[in-house]
Amino acid sequence: MDLQHHVGLRPDGSVWLPDRRAAAGSILLKLAAMGIEIPAEVAGDEVAGDEDVFHLAGNLFARYREQARLLADHLCPADRRIQHYLDELQGPGKVRLPAETLILDQYGLARELSLPLDGDRYENELVSSYRLDNGVLHNPVNDRRTTQGVFHVAEGGLPIPGDKIAVPLAVFLRLLEESLRPPAELLRLPFTAGWKRPVETMVSLLLRPLVCPAVPKVTPEKRLEVRFFAPGGLVSNLDFVESIFGNAGDPHLPANDAALDVDGWTGHSGCVILAPHLTRVRKKDLGLPYEREEELYNDGRSFKLTSRGPRGVMVTLIADNYFGYCKKEVKTQIGYSANLLGLAEEEHAGGALAFPTFNLGDRFTRDQVRVVTAGHRLTEVLHLLGDRARRHPSGYATDALWPSIHYMPEDMEIDIHRQDITWTKEGETRHLKLLPGRIYIHPSGYKVRMEKHHAAPSWRLVGTVPEGAFCHKPCTVSGGGKSEISKSLVDAVLPGSFFVQRFDHDMALVQAILSRNYDDARAEGGRGPARPLLSPERSLGSVVKLLTPNPDEFTPEYNAWLEKIPNHVRALVFVIKRFYRPEWGDDWLRHFGVDIINGAPGHELKYEGRKLVANFLRIGRDEHGAWRTYKLRQDFVAADKVQMEDDITASVVVPARRLVGLPGEYDGHPSLKLAQNCEFRLFQRPDDAIHPGLDRQTEKDMSGPGLFCSNFQPLRRDDMQRIREDVATHDAFTTPMREHVNRNAAREGDGWSICSARPRIIGDKPTKNPRYLQLRPDLARPRDRYVAEMGARLSRRL
């Protein structure tokens, strides 16, 4: 799949959008081919195109229009399949899908169409749109969707669930007819808003969302076809759905005909018609009983009306333009297709591959690898990788695709203070400079990197196991935690001071713990003489384990002694172990201290004169707005995660015997489920972003290019200047959002911008539903996924 033109994504994970001049020129050519006269001043505009092109192509356009007139009833293959279903319901010739629409056959055209060619703002009764310096902001008239009285199903198709509202087939057909006749002001294309005669047209889009994941050597992936129709004034909704599910191209071209994709099509077709004007249709005009003539269908509230047949065609009318309705309808149609297909399932799920990750401190040695390493050799790795690895004479290799990934010998050792990696080749010690941003992979698949604490100046070595666990939360209700399980804990970890009560007293207790003999910790027949806590042969994790009560491993007397250690003293032992160097010997105390405040010792621990940082996990707020936090272990590092799901998941069940390279824990399972995300972008609600600096990922995403956001406040240059001048707020932002504010506060002209901490104001209050499209993390950071796959592959020698 060509992700660049399908969903606007380059291979390195960066966002791609077509050049504005090229996109505008393409749009004008399409409009001219539809018989629309392009104003001379527009055709010659340096942004839009070249007037000579439109003049020279005049005869060609005339010929095309004549062919279109002769084929006025011709529909593309997908539309023909949908029309055939409608004809079965109503009889031929009554309600027909539009034969001529402005087709969005390239990713990015919908975004260009959603705003005026020569302006940065567009507004109609249903949506207000703004061009930002890094994307677009669309604020629909309703800032959220509701589920009360929304779901209506037409009779005459599959059985109607009891929690849905049944609608007579004749009413559905009448509303279908009205849906294709939107008012002129709703048909008006924002792109042409500045023209003397703005263009009024329907726009359409083809989607091919995933229904059944591919199973290597078993079955290819299978996709549904979905046709979207919307009045020109709501083209922003099509920008939204193509950003999530991808643009499947021109539906008239054979290459995009699902019926010719024998292996990859489920055999099912969906149709979605965006028609907010249906809320104005009277019951009287639909042949429904009424008490007052002006009484409206569904009391004038938003609704979705669906007709679905057993042959695999589903047609839905959406009487609202809130973006979430469009996404949820594609989700519904994926589920409909999966149910008819069999074995596959659509799930409202969240999940991630989680790889346990450890703080290795200052050194990495061979005995610190937390996996079975026997038999793993670099020679085998190089044989397995072939041309994918570039060998170096000194005895290590570099990945050919990602030069920041290095494959190291099995006897590698790392010292962070010297920034040195060593190993032996031909009896000689070889060296490689340890650098941040690099990943060093042991032949076992164990991964090591140099990492800086985000709130402290110290560097540390971090190790990640080669194989992760797939944390999958299926069948989740809204608010059930599907997003939380799929995201990293990093943004939920708050830095704080490392607290001591009485420095001299606490350090005396620490000295007693460090000096203690631990041979009595384990019952008779244990592991022999215990190593001293500060021994280089004992890791920080080993110290944590030794000082944590454990009735299964330790004697009752030793556990009782551990219970008496104050928690803050135990934490002091861990932090001293973290920074201890063998050359200190027993003189470790002089490296730690506290400030003297008003003649008395303070309470913030310092190392070599700098304040140490402790990590706390925030778990919500109390009734007064204060964070509920819990102290994390000093060696805690959040697991590396590769996000796999966050809302719409397609899954398939396959016999376990058909899968190659399964871990041993799956032995005995007759069948297994494989899951895959159906979305390229995730419709995120960044609730915490209203607090500057708290949601680091959102601030990075919303300051980057290609942004699609909704329910944020449109801001002018003066607004951004006021945010910049609010020093406390501005300084609290992370660097990306701080630079975004500065850039827009200093921009020339008076364009529009947004700030992650400024949600849309509705009724004098901030909306509780700010949203933006986040590029799926595993696509935005392809190297992380590659490293995860490579580690697992080396671990199992696949």
Side-chain angles (χ1 to χ4, degrees):
M1 181 184 294
D2 180 4
L3 289 181
Q4 179 165 304
H5 294 93
H6 184 69
V7 75
L9 179 63
R10 295 188 180 94
D12 64 357
S14 61
V15 174
W16 174 89
L17 283 172
D19 175 73
R20 275 203 66 205
R21 185 179 188 279
S26 177
I27 291 169
L28 292 174
L29 287 171
K30 290 178 180 294
L31 293 176
M34 293 172 64
I36 296 168
E37 184 177 349
I38 308 300
E41 65 274 14
V42 173
D45 189 275
E46 63 177 5
V47 175
D50 187 341
E51 185 175 8
D52 292 340
V53 173
F54 294 95
H55 176 72
L56 292 172
N59 291 334
L60 181 61
F61 293 148
R63 179 182 175 186
Y64 176 85
R65 288 194 297 272
E66 179 61 18
Q67 290 176 339
R69 184 185 67 80
L70 294 172
L71 297 173
D73 294 331
H74 176 74
L75 297 175
C76 69
D79 291 357
R80 285 202 303 271
R81 289 185 276 271
I82 297 165
Q83 186 65 52
H84 180 70
Y85 170 71
L86 295 175
D87 289 344
E88 288 182 334
L89 293 177
Q90 63 176 342
K94 292 184 178 180
V95 181
R96 289 188 58 80
L97 296 176
E100 185 173 50
T101 62
L102 179 55
I103 297 174
L104 307 178
D105 58 355
Q106 301 174 45
Y107 180 81
L109 294 186
R111 184 159 304 182
E112 190 62 32
L113 281 164
S114 67
L115 287 158
L117 173 62
D118 56 355
D120 294 333
R121 181 181 181 183
Y122 179 77
E123 186 172 348
N124 60 29
E125 62 177 319
L126 293 175
V127 66
S128 299
S129 301
Y130 307 84
R131 193 190 312 276
L132 312 175
D133 73 314
N134 65 324
V136 291
L137 165 65
H138 296 297
N139 288 337
V141 62
N142 297 317
D143 69 327
R144 66 185 66 197
R145 68 186 181 97
T146 180
T147 57
Q148 183 176 4
V150 165
F151 304 108
H152 301 194
V153 180
E155 295 172 345
L158 292 173
I160 300 175
D163 61 341
K164 304 296 188 292
I165 298 174
V167 177
L169 178 59
V171 173
F172 167 75
L173 294 173
R174 184 71 183 90
L175 286 170
L176 173 64
E177 185 177 8
E178 286 297 320
S179 72
L180 297 173
R181 296 190 304 198
E185 60 270 19
L186 204 55
L187 286 169
R188 197 163 297 146
L189 272 179
F191 181 81
T192 66
W195 297 9
K196 292 181 180 179
R197 297 179 59 186
V199 175
E200 297 172 0
T201 184
M202 293 285 286
V203 289
S204 67
L205 172 70
L206 175 64
L207 304 178
R208 291 292 308 277
L210 180 70
V211 175
C212 179
V215 181
K217 298 183 179 180
V218 178
T219 181
E221 69 175 19
K222 295 186 180 295
R223 294 178 175 270
L224 164 74
E225 65 175 359
V226 178
R227 286 283 282 144
F228 254 87
F229 296 91
L234 300 180
V235 68
S236 55
N237 287 72
L238 303 192
D239 179 17
F240 174 75
V241 291
E242 80 165 359
S243 295
I244 295 174
F245 300 104
N247 188 312
D250 189 340
H252 287 277
L253 298 180
N256 301 321
D257 183 355
L260 300 179
D261 182 10
V262 178
D263 293 326
W265 183 38
T266 61
H268 309 134
S269 303
C271 177
V272 182
I273 302 174
L274 201 61
H277 58 285
L278 294 182
T279 57
R280 304 171 188 170
V281 177
R282 299 184 303 177
K283 287 184 176 180
K284 174 184 176 180
D285 299 327
L286 297 173
L288 291 171
Y290 60 92
E291 296 179 358
R292 295 171 288 106
E293 284 199 3
E294 64 274 15
E295 193 172 343
L296 301 176
Y297 179 79
N298 202 43
D299 296 326
R301 296 173 301 175
S302 302
F303 66 91
K304 293 194 329 180
L305 174 55
T306 292
S307 174
R308 51 190 181 180
R311 296 186 182 180
V313 178
M314 182 174 181
V315 179
T316 300
L317 316 178
I318 301 180
D320 198 297
N321 75 311
Y322 176 69
F323 297 113
Y325 283 113
C326 293
K327 175 186 170 182
K328 291 301 184 183
E329 183 53 33
V330 176
K331 168 184 166 64
T332 300
Q333 297 197 1
I334 292 172
Y336 166 73
S337 179
N339 290 338
L340 292 180
L341 180 66
L343 293 181
E345 183 180 12
E346 183 277 320
E347 300 184 48
H348 190 219
L353 275 173
F355 295 83
T357 300
F358 303 91
N359 183 344
L360 302 179
D362 299 333
R363 286 182 55 80
F364 172 82
T365 57
R366 281 169 286 176
D367 62 350
Q368 287 177 279
V369 181
R370 290 165 167 79
V371 294
V372 178
T373 62
H376 291 88
R377 300 288 182 265
L378 180 61
T379 53
E380 293 181 349
V381 169
L382 297 179
H383 176 74
L384 179 68
L385 297 181
D387 294 338
R388 188 173 292 184
R390 297 173 180 170
R391 309 183 186 199
H392 299 282
S394 58
Y396 75 102
T398 298
D399 192 89
L401 183 61
W402 296 97
S404 58
I405 300 173
H406 301 303
Y407 302 101
M408 305 305 298
E410 56 274 10
D411 62 341
M412 74 166 180
E413 298 196 353
I414 306 176
D415 189 305
I416 201 168
H417 296 295
R418 300 199 309 266
Q419 279 188 248
D420 189 27
I421 306 174
T422 59
W423 66 94
T424 302
K425 182 183 179 183
E426 297 175 353
E428 296 183 7
T429 300
R430 306 300 177 101
H431 297 266
L432 179 65
K433 187 77 169 180
L434 174 68
L435 295 172
R438 308 291 200 274
I439 296 177
Y440 305 93
I441 302 182
H442 186 276
S444 64
Y446 194 82
K447 296 150 285 190
V448 182
R449 66 181 184 269
M450 179 184 185
E451 188 177 89
K452 186 178 182 181
H453 192 290
H454 73 276
S458 60
W459 290 84
R460 58 192 176 180
L461 292 176
V462 173
T464 303
V465 301
E467 291 193 68
F470 186 13
C471 303
H472 172 66
K473 186 174 179 60
C475 307
T476 308
V477 297
S478 296
K482 60 179 174 52
S483 293
E484 286 70 19
I485 196 173
S486 65
K487 295 178 181 177
S488 172
L489 276 179
V490 169
D491 282 353
V493 176
L494 303 175
S497 299
F498 202 97
F499 177 76
V500 293
Q501 290 185 356
R502 293 176 293 167
F503 180 77
D504 292 338
H505 176 266
D506 290 347
M507 288 303 175
L509 294 177
V510 169
Q511 180 62 65
I513 293 171
L514 294 176
S515 302
R516 188 186 190 283
N517 187 308
Y518 289 90
D519 291 347
D520 64 337
R522 291 182 172 84
E524 201 171 317
R527 302 179 183 178
R531 296 161 293 178
L533 265 60
L534 296 181
S535 168
E537 297 179 357
R538 185 184 283 280
S539 68
L540 174 59
S542 171
V543 174
V544 171
K545 186 175 181 180
L546 186 64
L547 296 183
T548 301
N550 186 335
D552 295 330
E553 289 198 23
F554 302 139
T555 63
E557 296 77 14
Y558 181 70
N559 279 317
W561 177 77
L562 288 177
E563 295 287 356
K564 296 178 182 178
I565 301 176
N567 284 333
H568 72 281
V569 173
R570 196 190 320 266
L572 280 173
V573 176
F574 298 155
V575 78
I576 290 167
K577 173 63 179 179
R578 160 70 181 85
F579 290 100
Y580 178 79
R581 301 183 191 177
E583 56 265 29
W584 294 355
D586 295 330
D587 189 19
W588 55 265
L589 182 58
R590 68 183 181 88
H591 298 276
F592 299 88
V594 293
D595 290 333
I596 303 299
I597 302 174
N598 296 329
H603 299 285
E604 287 187 335
L605 184 65
K606 290 191 169 185
Y607 164 67
E608 301 284 6
R610 69 170 177 83
K611 185 173 69 173
L612 288 175
V613 175
N615 291 324
F616 300 85
L617 182 65
R618 57 180 174 86
I619 309 291
R621 296 175 182 269
D622 65 13
E623 62 274 15
H624 304 295
W627 285 113
R628 297 181 184 273
T629 62
Y630 294 86
K631 174 72 170 62
L632 296 170
R633 276 176 33 168
Q634 195 63 26
D635 66 334
F636 174 82
V637 178
D640 283 356
K641 282 188 174 181
V642 176
Q643 188 169 9
M644 303 292 286
E645 311 163 275
D646 192 351
D647 197 13
I648 308 178
T649 292
S651 63
V652 60
V653 177
V654 294
R657 67 179 183 276
R658 303 292 299 275
L659 301 176
V660 179
L662 285 175
E665 56 265 31
Y666 291 100
D667 291 346
H669 289 268
S671 59
L672 296 171
K673 181 172 72 174
L674 304 182
Q676 184 176 334
N677 202 326
C678 296
E679 303 166 86
F680 293 99
R681 289 181 175 85
L682 312 173
F683 198 32
Q684 300 287 24
R685 188 180 68 194
D687 297 327
D688 289 341
I690 198 169
H691 307 287
L694 198 58
D695 192 334
R696 296 191 288 271
Q697 184 62 53
T698 290
E699 292 190 7
K700 179 181 178 182
D701 293 335
M702 295 196 69
S703 58
L707 174 67
F708 182 107
C709 61
S710 181
N711 288 337
F712 282 87
Q713 191 67 17
L715 304 174
R716 289 291 200 177
R717 180 179 58 185
D718 292 347
D719 299 316
M720 299 300 268
Q721 289 174 344
R722 282 190 286 272
I723 295 174
R724 184 176 62 179
E725 291 167 359
D726 182 355
V727 177
T729 298
H730 182 256
D731 191 56
F733 285 121
T734 57
T735 299
M737 184 52 63
R738 194 160 54 240
E739 292 177 348
H740 172 79
V741 170
N742 291 341
R743 184 174 66 251
N744 282 279
R747 68 190 297 183
E748 296 182 1
D750 200 19
W752 300 94
S753 56
I754 53 91
C755 173
S756 57
R758 295 290 188 273
R760 176 184 177 187
I761 302 300
I762 295 180
D764 298 326
K765 294 182 179 180
T767 178
K768 294 184 178 180
N769 193 35
R771 295 278 186 164
Y772 81 99
L773 286 180
Q774 178 195 21
L775 183 61
R776 217 170 73 197
D778 63 312
L779 297 177
R781 298 189 293 271
R783 190 192 74 160
D784 292 353
R785 179 160 189 152
Y786 181 86
V787 168
E789 292 173 349
M790 193 57 63
R793 185 179 182 189
L794 297 185
S795 176
R796 297 195 172 272
R797 302 178 190 173
L798 297 177

PDB file of all heavy atoms in Angstrom, residues 49 149 182 189 220 401 435 449 483 602:
ATOM      1  N   GLY A  49      -3.217  27.868 -10.310  1.00  0.00           N
ATOM      2  CA  GLY A  49      -2.878  27.169 -11.543  1.00  0.00           C
ATOM      3  C   GLY A  49      -2.400  28.092 -12.638  1.00  0.00           C
ATOM      4  O   GLY A  49      -1.838  29.140 -12.388  1.00  0.00           O
ATOM      5  N   GLY A 149     -31.772   8.212  21.408  1.00  0.00           N
ATOM      6  CA  GLY A 149     -32.701   8.328  20.296  1.00  0.00           C
ATOM      7  C   GLY A 149     -32.044   8.495  18.944  1.00  0.00           C
ATOM      8  O   GLY A 149     -32.669   8.969  18.001  1.00  0.00           O
ATOM      9  N   PRO A 182     -29.838  18.275  -0.663  1.00  0.00           N
ATOM     10  CA  PRO A 182     -29.532  19.244   0.382  1.00  0.00           C
ATOM     11  C   PRO A 182     -29.782  20.673  -0.108  1.00  0.00           C
ATOM     12  O   PRO A 182     -29.777  20.926  -1.315  1.00  0.00           O
ATOM     13  CB  PRO A 182     -28.052  19.009   0.676  1.00  0.00           C
ATOM     14  CG  PRO A 182     -27.505  18.389  -0.555  1.00  0.00           C
ATOM     15  CD  PRO A 182     -28.621  17.589  -1.151  1.00  0.00           C
ATOM     16  N   LEU A 189     -19.307  24.815  -2.003  1.00  0.00           N
ATOM     17  CA  LEU A 189     -17.927  24.406  -1.700  1.00  0.00           C
ATOM     18  C   LEU A 189     -17.167  25.529  -1.004  1.00  0.00           C
ATOM     19  O   LEU A 189     -17.076  26.636  -1.544  1.00  0.00           O
ATOM     20  CB  LEU A 189     -17.189  24.033  -2.973  1.00  0.00           C
ATOM     21  CG  LEU A 189     -17.256  22.600  -3.489  1.00  0.00           C
ATOM     22  CD1 LEU A 189     -16.453  22.488  -4.779  1.00  0.00           C
ATOM     23  CD2 LEU A 189     -16.741  21.606  -2.462  1.00  0.00           C
ATOM     24  N   PRO A 220      -5.010 -13.815   2.973  1.00  0.00           N
ATOM     25  CA  PRO A 220      -4.695 -12.395   2.819  1.00  0.00           C
ATOM     26  C   PRO A 220      -5.684 -11.541   3.611  1.00  0.00           C
ATOM     27  O   PRO A 220      -6.730 -12.029   4.048  1.00  0.00           O
ATOM     28  CB  PRO A 220      -4.861 -12.161   1.310  1.00  0.00           C
ATOM     29  CG  PRO A 220      -5.890 -13.165   0.894  1.00  0.00           C
ATOM     30  CD  PRO A 220      -5.663 -14.374   1.766  1.00  0.00           C
ATOM     31  N   LEU A 401      18.792  -0.532   7.150  1.00  0.00           N
ATOM     32  CA  LEU A 401      17.621   0.333   7.022  1.00  0.00           C
ATOM     33  C   LEU A 401      17.634   1.466   8.033  1.00  0.00           C
ATOM     34  O   LEU A 401      17.290   2.604   7.710  1.00  0.00           O
ATOM     35  CB  LEU A 401      16.340  -0.507   7.198  1.00  0.00           C
ATOM     36  CG  LEU A 401      15.004   0.232   7.025  1.00  0.00           C
ATOM     37  CD1 LEU A 401      14.893   0.811   5.611  1.00  0.00           C
ATOM     38  CD2 LEU A 401      13.841  -0.714   7.313  1.00  0.00           C
ATOM     39  N   LEU A 435      26.502   6.415  22.388  1.00  0.00           N
ATOM     40  CA  LEU A 435      25.868   7.680  22.032  1.00  0.00           C
ATOM     41  C   LEU A 435      24.360   7.620  22.260  1.00  0.00           C
ATOM     42  O   LEU A 435      23.740   6.577  22.081  1.00  0.00           O
ATOM     43  CB  LEU A 435      26.137   8.019  20.557  1.00  0.00           C
ATOM     44  CG  LEU A 435      27.587   8.294  20.167  1.00  0.00           C
ATOM     45  CD1 LEU A 435      27.709   8.421  18.652  1.00  0.00           C
ATOM     46  CD2 LEU A 435      28.110   9.560  20.858  1.00  0.00           C
ATOM     47  N   ARG A 449      19.981   1.023  25.526  1.00  0.00           N
ATOM     48  CA  ARG A 449      20.141   2.388  25.016  1.00  0.00           C
ATOM     49  C   ARG A 449      20.546   3.318  26.147  1.00  0.00           C
ATOM     50  O   ARG A 449      20.350   3.022  27.329  1.00  0.00           O
ATOM     51  CB  ARG A 449      18.834   2.881  24.385  1.00  0.00           C
ATOM     52  CG  ARG A 449      17.673   3.049  25.342  1.00  0.00           C
ATOM     53  CD  ARG A 449      16.417   3.513  24.611  1.00  0.00           C
ATOM     54  NE  ARG A 449      15.293   3.773  25.497  1.00  0.00           N
ATOM     55  CZ  ARG A 449      14.374   2.884  25.853  1.00  0.00           C
ATOM     56  NH1 ARG A 449      14.464   1.643  25.380  1.00  0.00           N
ATOM     57  NH2 ARG A 449      13.382   3.210  26.668  1.00  0.00           N
ATOM     58  N   SER A 483      -7.940   3.241  25.783  1.00  0.00           N
ATOM     59  CA  SER A 483      -6.841   4.122  25.405  1.00  0.00           C
ATOM     60  C   SER A 483      -5.702   4.040  26.407  1.00  0.00           C
ATOM     61  O   SER A 483      -4.522   4.085  26.049  1.00  0.00           O
ATOM     62  CB  SER A 483      -7.327   5.564  25.284  1.00  0.00           C
ATOM     63  OG  SER A 483      -8.220   5.716  24.210  1.00  0.00           O
ATOM     64  N   GLY A 602      18.157  20.829  55.552  1.00  0.00           N
ATOM     65  CA  GLY A 602      16.918  20.768  54.777  1.00  0.00           C
ATOM     66  C   GLY A 602      16.469  19.331  54.562  1.00  0.00           C
ATOM     67  O   GLY A 602      16.953  18.401  55.221  1.00  0.00           O
TER      68      GLY A 602
END
